[in-house]
Amino acid sequence: MAVKTVHQMLNLPAAQDGGFFYADWPAPPTVHTLLTTRRGGVGSKPFDSLNLGSHVGDRPENVAANRARVEQTVGRPVIYLNQIHSTDVVYADCAHNGHTADASINSDGLAACAVMTADCLPVLFCDEDGTTVAAAHAGWRGLAGGIVQNTADAMRVPPEKLLAYLGPAIGPEAFEVGQDVWDAFCLPDPGAADAFDPIGEGKYLADIYRLACRILRRHGINRIYGGNRCTVLERDHFFSYRRDGRTGRMASIIWLETSH
């Protein structure tokens, strides 16, 4: 008897080709990444089409089909967190889908670390020896609160041995913020003001990539890659909550290929 795909079992059309890209960084060969776009799934507007978020109002069967496609490509369980803009970190192999945290770590290759975003900054980490990986969800609250530092510390690797990749997030031309965001970064670190362009009436255009780079470097992590996309302006490629409100979620995923 022929084995049915998840799309056939759920009576859904097959996913389109494409929809994935990969971190462009000099990671060790044991480290693998997959970053999704809004393309190549089965969802309909406003979740067209590769929505991976189960909390945004999309049809559950569409989300299940899209997640199944991603997991088939990754080749191991992908752990999707319940992200709440915290600074909490968990171990992916000990967590479950829906575990409340904003970063996960793995060192045995049995699970993939993932964060979902639609403007917030995904940060992927690995060590230079290819033995530990992590993924962090860095919205401005988490970034200001220390999610990047907490994730790096939880990896238990000297920071000079870590690499970081900044996935697609809201770009500096689109990220309008208020005084509260400026205060969160610049009161404890006046040098962070370089990442803010005042536009009047207490508003700024903020560069979340520059803020993340500053935080990473101050923490001793200098090998930083990525940080050149804009989820708001690249409408055809990315979901954006700031732009659309009701929309889907992409995922930035990292895992280890080990001898297990």
Side-chain angles (χ1 to χ4, degrees):
M1 182 177 68
V3 177
K4 290 186 177 180
T5 68
V6 67
H7 305 288
Q8 292 170 326
M9 289 188 290
L10 296 174
N11 195 29
L12 293 168
Q16 303 168 15
D17 292 335
F20 302 151
F21 68 106
Y22 309 93
D24 183 12
W25 62 341
T30 53
V31 175
H32 295 260
T33 64
L34 185 146
L35 295 94
T36 72
T37 68
R38 70 181 303 161
R39 297 177 171 182
V42 300
S44 57
K45 292 183 178 181
F47 308 110
D48 48 322
S49 60
L50 190 60
N51 168 49
L52 299 170
S54 61
H55 62 295
V56 296
D58 197 0
R59 294 173 60 189
E61 60 268 31
N62 287 353
V63 177
N66 287 338
R67 288 189 176 188
R69 182 188 176 217
V70 169
E71 192 157 304
Q72 182 178 29
T73 302
V74 172
R76 61 208 6 87
V78 178
I79 304 303
Y80 297 97
L81 303 173
N82 175 32
Q83 301 164 185
I84 58 171
H85 300 278
S86 72
T87 58
D88 296 333
V89 185
V90 297
Y91 289 94
D93 52 306
C94 299
H96 54 82
N97 282 326
H99 196 120
T100 298
D102 281 83
S104 62
I105 296 171
N106 184 257
S107 58
D108 62 14
L110 299 180
C113 303
V115 290
M116 289 184 291
T117 59
D119 287 333
C120 290
L121 174 64
V123 185
L124 304 180
F125 295 89
C126 72
D127 68 309
E128 64 183 22
D129 296 323
T131 63
T132 306
V133 295
H137 166 244
W140 74 261
R141 291 178 180 84
L143 192 60
I147 185 61
V148 166
Q149 302 94 310
N150 284 5
T151 305
D153 289 345
M155 294 176 73
R156 299 180 182 177
V157 176
E160 65 272 14
K161 293 183 177 293
L162 291 177
L163 290 73
Y165 179 84
L166 309 182
I170 186 170
E173 297 179 2
F175 193 21
E176 182 178 322
V177 301
Q179 191 65 42
D180 56 334
V181 179
W182 190 98
D183 290 346
F185 289 96
C186 300
L187 293 183
D189 176 19
D194 289 342
F196 292 85
D197 182 15
I199 55 175
E201 299 183 355
K203 301 291 185 179
Y204 303 84
L205 289 176
D207 189 337
I208 199 167
Y209 290 127
R210 182 178 290 188
L211 290 167
C213 286
R214 182 175 181 85
I215 290 169
L216 286 163
R217 291 189 178 111
R218 284 168 63 89
H219 202 63
I221 302 169
N222 292 301
R223 286 180 282 179
I224 308 167
Y225 307 88
N228 57 357
R229 308 301 296 261
C230 180
T231 49
V232 175
L233 299 182
E234 296 183 62
R235 180 182 297 271
D236 291 340
H237 290 90
F238 300 120
F239 296 115
S240 168
Y241 181 80
R242 175 70 66 105
R243 183 189 64 228
D244 298 327
R246 190 165 181 254
T247 192
R249 297 294 185 271
M250 293 89 64
S252 297
I253 305 168
I254 189 167
W255 70 96
L256 289 170
E257 290 284 0
T258 68
S259 58
H260 289 289

